[in-house]
Amino acid sequence: DLELVQFKNSNRIRLTLFNLMFSIALLTFATQTKAMWNMYEKGEVNTGRASGLTIERKASIWRAERNFWITVCCVMTYWCLYRHTALRKRYLVLKKEKKEAEERTKKD
């Protein structure tokens, strides 16, 4: 489980390995988005055919686009894992509350 490594700075802030990795993925996504934005703003990326560009230029464009889509997939994966974990925790709390309520009704 990714929550095994946990550092508590205060009662409100918890730094877990998962939170750290998710933050790194978000930061990487932001830098790759900025890099792609700069390429499009400068007109380095042609939305039409890539003829007339050198192979080095085509390679750098392809690399930037590839890195962008990889970071999108990473951020979406971490977000889905975060939501799954939150839903699982909520389910376990509700299950425990239901069990406690059933035990109280049996006692009465």
Side-chain angles (χ1 to χ4, degrees):
D1 196 357
L2 290 178
E3 299 223 8
L4 291 176
V5 178
Q6 186 177 49
F7 306 100
K8 289 188 178 181
N9 295 334
S10 72
N11 291 337
R12 292 179 292 150
I13 299 173
R14 267 185 21 188
L15 178 63
T16 62
L17 181 60
F18 179 82
N19 292 343
L20 179 66
M21 295 299 291
F22 188 53
S23 300
I24 291 171
L26 283 175
L27 181 63
T28 306
F29 173 69
T31 58
Q32 292 303 316
T33 302
K34 179 68 174 154
M36 283 299 297
W37 181 266
N38 288 341
M39 290 180 94
Y40 277 97
E41 268 193 343
K42 291 177 184 176
E44 295 174 354
V45 177
N46 188 355
T47 56
R49 302 185 114 229
S51 60
L53 296 175
T54 64
I55 192 72
E56 292 84 14
R57 191 72 215 133
K58 289 179 187 177
S60 67
I61 292 169
W62 184 83
R63 193 175 310 115
E65 290 175 349
R66 178 202 63 198
N67 291 344
F68 172 79
W69 288 112
I70 288 171
T71 58
V72 167
C73 291
C74 287
V75 167
M76 290 303 297
T77 301
Y78 276 112
W79 182 80
C80 289
L81 285 172
Y82 171 76
R83 291 301 305 147
H84 173 74
T85 303
L87 288 172
R88 189 180 75 206
K89 286 179 183 178
R90 180 72 181 140
Y91 169 76
L92 293 174
V93 166
L94 290 173
K95 187 176 175 182
K96 182 180 176 184
E97 289 174 359
K98 180 182 174 187
K99 185 178 179 182
E100 290 172 354
E102 288 174 352
E103 288 175 359
R104 272 187 264 126
T105 56
K106 286 181 184 178
K107 288 180 182 179
D108 292 337

